[in-house]
Amino acid sequence: MSDFVLFLAGMATMGFLLSGLFFLRFWWRTKDRLFLAFGSAFMLFALNHCIPVLAGIPAEERSWVYLFRLAGFSLLILAIVAKRIDARRSTKQRQPE
């Protein structure tokens, strides 16, 4: 890989790590599971960018590294759906009958 590609992969990894830490900080304050899921997903995205460079894998879409990205997006989808279900339940409980 060229030096420029390695530089961009490092920048992307750093961006994902910072985003993950940002969300984990909000989770620490609020204890909201959605922030924990977002923080964890961004950490998985950072692994997805970091491992191919460190291991020298030329095409990440043809390797097992893609599973980190799949797990991250699955985690985000499940967390958003769970948040919506919790919001609907709490709204129904507050409504007078």
Side-chain angles (χ1 to χ4, degrees):
M1 280 193 223
S2 71
D3 290 338
F4 184 68
V5 172
L6 294 175
F7 176 73
L8 289 178
M11 285 185 59
T13 301
M14 182 190 67
F16 284 128
L17 284 173
L18 287 176
S19 298
L21 291 173
F22 181 76
F23 282 112
L24 290 176
R25 183 180 68 173
F26 281 113
W27 169 75
W28 187 259
R29 290 182 186 173
T30 64
K31 302 299 184 207
D32 188 354
R33 291 181 301 173
L34 185 66
F35 290 131
L36 179 63
F38 268 77
S40 301
F42 277 104
M43 294 298 176
L44 288 171
F45 296 154
L47 278 175
N48 184 57
H49 278 275
C50 179
I51 289 176
V53 172
L54 294 177
I57 299 172
E60 70 175 286
E61 63 270 7
R62 291 186 217 140
S63 68
W64 55 272
V65 178
Y66 180 76
L67 295 175
F68 288 113
R69 187 182 304 171
L70 179 65
F73 281 116
S74 299
L75 184 62
L76 289 176
I77 291 169
L78 290 174
I80 292 169
V81 169
K83 184 73 171 180
R84 291 293 302 157
I85 290 172
D86 289 344
R88 286 187 182 183
R89 285 183 185 163
S90 64
T91 304
K92 285 182 181 180
Q93 291 174 355
R94 282 188 267 155
Q95 290 178 352
E97 293 184 28

